[in-house]
Amino acid sequence: MSLISSTSPHTTGKTDTGAFMRQVLYATLPGLAVLTWQFGWGSVINVLWAVLVALLSEAAILKARGRPLGFYLKDYSAVVTAVLLGLALPPTAPWWLTLIGVSFAIIVAKQLYGGLGMNPFNPAMVGYVLLLISFPAAMTRWIAPGQTPEPAQSWQLFLGQAGVDGFSGATPLDTFRTWAGNASELSGHAILHGQFAGLGWEWVNLAFLLGGLYLLARRIITWQIPAAFLLGVAVPALIASLVDPVRFAGPLFHLFSGGTMLGAFFIATDPVTAATSRLGRFIYALLIGVLIWVIRSFGGYPDAVAFSVLLLNLCAPFIDYYTQPRTYGHRKANRGVGS
């Protein structure tokens, strides 16, 4: 066996960006399947439409910038952004909602910063927050348990030709936040009483957990961010629920309701916008989890994954600066005032 004489980094096998991104797409399939089972075909329609919009948006900007289309489109980064945003949107979302969110994510949050690797914020979450702030009613209309529409009805909802109110209902997180502190009301809402979390949503989160474990097994992501993310959500939820179980939901409810597992394994782990050092990744994700619990418990939004991720994207360079490992053979630099 010959020695490698060239300088680092040294890689073997097919480890290009496109290969990693395809693994992420494969890992989302269990979550998409369970979303379809629980809430109808709206999520599949959203994802397919989002992918088409993302590819067209990316191609248009690349052409305007004079960049080769094939080279950049084959990295699948636009497809991953589209799929993650499509999964996060309600299955009742009309076509124009997806169009606005995905095109903004690709054009503004990604390409106007210089493309993949240059964007400081997670593009999918930027698109999601834009839609949530601009169209809160459309973004909070999820399918109610037991009212799953037929495929034809899902298509009509996508085209805006069917009434949403006949299918939509509050999510478990929204229901708990609305009636927190009222034991009689909480006990009367069936959506809060699944096997161990919100009805329907527990299986969606288990599916994304399965996909996340696949990514860990394939070493596409590392354990620090998902573990710290879930720890940051679960620990304050456990403490608060022990103090006042009527006012605060328990850790299992928070872990398996809303977008917790999608956020922990697929969104916060974005290698471009997350912290990079081992300690930095743990601190970064832990703070995301704590912020999610704080906003869910005291804020105006029932779920808070997107807001928390974007806030910590802003802090990631700062976290990395103070947690980068010491170079072997050198003393740690003094970063105090006046150094």
Side-chain angles (χ1 to χ4, degrees), residues 11-305:
T11 60
T12 59
K14 296 181 178 180
T15 56
D16 60 277
T17 302
F20 281 103
M21 293 294 182
R22 287 194 297 272
Q23 294 297 319
V24 175
L25 293 174
Y26 301 153
T28 63
L29 293 178
L32 178 59
V34 176
L35 278 170
T36 305
W37 168 43
Q38 292 290 332
F39 304 113
W41 287 88
S43 293
V44 174
I45 297 172
N46 286 343
V47 166
L48 294 176
W49 173 234
V51 168
L52 178 60
V53 171
L55 291 175
L56 292 176
S57 299
E58 181 124 310
I61 296 299
L62 288 172
K63 186 173 180 59
R65 295 175 62 196
R67 302 297 177 88
L69 300 187
F71 178 80
Y72 288 99
L73 290 179
K74 72 179 183 180
D75 66 12
Y76 284 86
S77 61
V79 177
V80 169
T81 295
V83 169
L84 293 179
L85 184 50
L87 291 171
L89 293 176
T92 59
W95 64 271
W96 54 265
L97 194 73
T98 307
L99 174 66
I100 293 172
V102 174
S103 59
F104 188 86
I106 296 296
I107 296 172
V108 177
K110 180 185 177 185
Q111 285 296 331
L112 291 189
Y113 280 102
L116 181 65
M118 304 295 291
N119 51 291
F121 301 102
N122 186 296
M125 293 299 95
V126 172
Y128 183 88
V129 167
L130 170 75
L131 296 178
L132 185 60
I133 294 174
S134 303
F135 310 102
M139 287 293 289
T140 54
R141 289 171 174 169
W142 277 84
I143 300 294
Q147 298 184 13
T148 305
E150 298 295 327
Q153 293 172 318
S154 294
W155 180 248
Q156 290 174 340
L157 289 170
F158 172 74
L159 296 177
Q161 298 175 353
V164 177
D165 293 338
F167 300 100
S168 63
T171 64
L173 286 171
D174 193 23
T175 302
F176 193 95
R177 184 178 62 87
T178 302
W179 301 105
N182 190 327
S184 60
E185 283 289 348
L186 290 176
S187 62
H189 289 272
I191 196 171
L192 300 177
H193 306 292
Q195 297 295 320
F196 48 88
L199 189 63
W201 286 93
E202 54 196 2
W203 306 115
V204 172
N205 277 275
L206 279 173
F208 283 121
L209 172 59
L210 178 63
L213 294 177
Y214 170 82
L215 293 179
L216 286 171
R218 296 302 302 268
R219 297 185 179 181
I220 304 299
I221 61 175
T222 58
W223 64 269
Q224 289 92 348
I225 288 179
F229 185 111
L230 299 178
L231 192 66
V233 174
V235 170
L238 174 62
I239 296 172
S241 64
L242 291 175
V243 174
D244 188 351
V246 178
R247 174 67 181 83
F248 300 102
L252 284 179
F253 184 84
H254 277 286
L255 290 175
F256 292 97
S257 293
T260 305
M261 295 298 171
L262 180 65
F265 290 97
F266 295 90
I267 295 171
T269 53
D270 175 22
V272 175
T273 57
T276 56
S277 66
R278 290 184 180 181
L279 178 59
R281 288 196 294 261
F282 194 88
I283 295 172
Y284 162 85
L286 186 70
L287 292 175
I288 291 177
V290 172
L291 270 177
I292 288 172
W293 178 81
V294 170
I295 297 174
R296 284 178 177 180
S297 301
F298 304 103
Y301 291 92
D303 203 356
V305 172

Side-chain angles (χ1 to χ4, degrees), residues 7 10 98 308:
T7 59
H10 309 296
T98 307
S308 302

